Amino acid sequence: MLPHAGGSPGQYRFLRDHVPATTRMAIARYPGREKRLGEPFAPSLGHLADEVATASSASGLRRPVILGHSMGGLLAVEVARRLLPDPDLAPPAVVISGRGPATTADGTQIHTRGDDELVARIYALGATPVGLLDPPDARALFLPPVRDDYRLVETYVPTSTEPLPIPVHCFAGDDDPTVAVDEVAACAELTTERFDLTVFPGGHFFLSENPVAVGTALSRILAHYQEPDPE
């Protein structure tokens, strides 16, 4: 599981209660936040993908389904590309949530703008209560990783434009202010294999707004790709 810009593992642990108990869930914690607060931010999204792929293989995850939300959707594709050459690590599928494909640098410059504009954008996404990021100490703690994650997205250039040779499943929110459903649907270009799109009610953080429905959809995907335990 690869979180959104500024996201942390705790924001996605709710999925644990909505997928089969046998599912092993590993959620990435990016550098520069929480237990990794003292570590420097990743130089680029490609470097972050290198780190996640290395950590995934070192953790013993075997052919994991990769789910990435928003920025995590871009990262999911890059991590998949790095794992695919090894048949023991290659993901059977990627799930992209709340994100369209990216073939060039984003072009927006949110990461260069002032704190007030960045906070206004965070509030507009709907998951952060208005006023929470108004105090200076809150901004000093929470804004640097969010700003840097926007930098990763806005300067991202894909490693390859070749479609993935594995299925891609997409989730979208029907009222997402950052990405329209048809933009998420354009992720069909990212695969030569099966593609499908599931639309949920809600805004950019529709996953947590629909935990039961999302869990049902995700469980169906996981069941399809589940491999028997080696004897």
Side-chain angles (χ1 to χ4, degrees):
M1 176 72 216
L2 306 175
H4 60 281
S8 64
Q11 292 169 289
Y12 291 92
R13 290 196 181 106
F14 73 90
L15 286 172
R16 170 74 277 168
D17 297 328
H18 301 283
V19 295
T22 54
T23 302
R24 179 180 176 187
M25 182 180 293
I27 309 174
R29 177 179 286 107
Y30 306 143
R33 66 212 73 195
E34 296 184 329
K35 294 179 180 178
R36 305 187 65 187
L37 189 62
E39 299 180 33
F41 297 124
S44 68
L45 195 136
H47 282 85
L48 185 56
D50 291 340
E51 178 186 322
V52 172
T54 298
S56 177
S57 58
S59 70
L61 288 172
R62 182 178 182 274
R63 293 179 51 77
V65 172
I66 304 174
L67 167 62
H69 182 70
S70 196
M71 180 186 90
L74 296 180
L75 191 58
V77 173
E78 290 293 337
V79 173
R81 292 193 191 282
R82 286 154 173 76
L83 296 178
L84 278 169
D86 188 331
D88 290 331
L89 303 175
V94 168
V95 183
I96 299 173
S97 172
R99 176 72 217 190
T103 55
T104 59
D106 183 274
T108 58
Q109 294 293 314
I110 295 169
H111 75 282
T112 66
R113 297 175 187 171
D115 285 356
D116 288 345
E117 193 167 349
L118 180 58
V119 167
R121 180 167 179 94
I122 293 170
Y123 287 159
L125 294 176
T128 304
V130 174
L132 184 66
L133 296 177
D134 291 352
D137 56 345
R139 293 189 176 196
L141 179 62
F142 292 108
L143 290 192
V146 176
R147 185 183 299 282
D148 198 74
D149 284 349
Y150 271 105
R151 175 188 63 82
L152 295 182
V153 172
E154 291 166 353
T155 60
Y156 166 64
V157 177
T159 300
S160 170
T161 57
E162 289 296 315
L164 297 171
I166 55 174
V168 170
H169 304 270
C170 278
F171 294 166
D174 64 4
D175 198 30
D176 188 332
T178 66
V179 55
V181 171
D182 60 349
E183 292 179 82
V184 181
C187 287
E189 69 188 45
L190 294 176
T191 179
T192 58
E193 302 298 322
R194 172 184 174 183
F195 173 82
D196 59 47
L197 171 66
T198 305
V199 180
F200 300 92
H204 190 58
F205 294 102
F206 59 87
L207 291 178
S208 57
E209 295 174 38
N210 304 277
V212 175
V214 168
T216 298
L218 186 55
S219 295
R220 188 180 306 117
I221 292 170
L222 294 174
H224 182 78
Y225 298 109
Q226 185 175 11
E227 296 181 355
D229 291 331
E231 302 203 358

